[in-house]
Amino acid sequence: MLALGIDPGTAICGYGFVEQVGSRLVPREYGAITTSPKARMEDRLLKLYDGLSELIKKHEPDVMGVEQLFFNRNVTTAIPVGQARGIVLLSAAKNHLQLAEHTPLQVKQAVTGYGKATKEQVIYMVTKLLHLPKPPKPDDVADALAVAICTAHCINSIAWRNRLEA
């Protein structure tokens, strides 16, 4: 089972493909789609859509995971992130991918065992769980891999399988 995790953003959109092989999680590809802050917003969103569509066609994941929006401080970033998240949802729909949405607490819990883990703890555990030689950079990539790990864990649960069969 191949899970695609996405950390949406208009400047940096992190992505990570994680495959479940037996009881191991194996990273297949990870990175970021970046756009220029000087570009028009509609061009940035198009670049995200085209980049995600190309990755989906290349790897053919079984499921795509994305975090639900949660903003407690900087509400001004909510609109561009919401727009990028809309592109992620559109990419899933256009490519007939099952979508798994997770809260930040669920992602942290799946990766670290603690729902209030720090960003540093999440990056550390992503690096260890996936046997990466060094922590993924930028942080958006580590976040996307964390979402992919959470998605891989969730898809194997009985409740998730029942949801897919419904």
Side-chain angles (χ1 to χ4, degrees), residues 61-134:
D62 299 299
V63 63
M64 177 191 285
V66 65
E67 266 189 359
Q68 294 173 351
L69 282 182
F70 176 76
F71 289 91
N72 60 354
R73 289 188 210 109
N74 192 353
V75 178
T76 58
T77 62
I79 292 172
V81 172
Q83 290 172 325
R85 190 172 182 281
I87 294 300
V88 171
L89 301 180
L90 175 65
S91 298
K94 291 286 277 183
N95 289 283
H96 310 289
L97 270 178
Q98 181 71 34
L99 185 70
E101 296 182 76
H102 314 288
T103 66
L105 186 128
Q106 289 170 324
V107 173
K108 290 176 182 181
Q109 181 74 37
V111 174
T112 69
Y114 178 58
K116 294 184 180 180
T118 65
K119 183 171 278 300
E120 292 76 20
Q121 290 170 321
V122 171
I123 293 169
Y124 175 81
M125 287 305 297
V126 163
T127 305
K128 294 302 176 195
L129 287 170
L130 298 178
H131 305 283
L132 301 175
K134 60 184 180 180

Side-chain angles (χ1 to χ4, degrees), residues 6-23:
I6 301 290
D7 181 40
T10 53
I12 302 171
C13 181
Y15 67 88
F17 290 90
V18 173
E19 185 173 11
Q20 178 116 28
V21 180
S23 61

Side-chain angles (χ1 to χ4, degrees), residues 3-8 12-18 28-34 51-52 55-56 58-59 65 136 138 140-146 148:
L4 167 58
I6 301 290
D7 181 40
I12 302 171
C13 181
Y15 67 88
F17 290 90
V18 173
R28 290 297 173 216
E29 183 181 334
Y30 51 94
I33 301 167
T34 59
L52 287 173
L55 287 166
I56 291 166
K58 176 182 175 184
H59 293 283
D140 310 77
V141 177
D143 291 344
L145 286 167

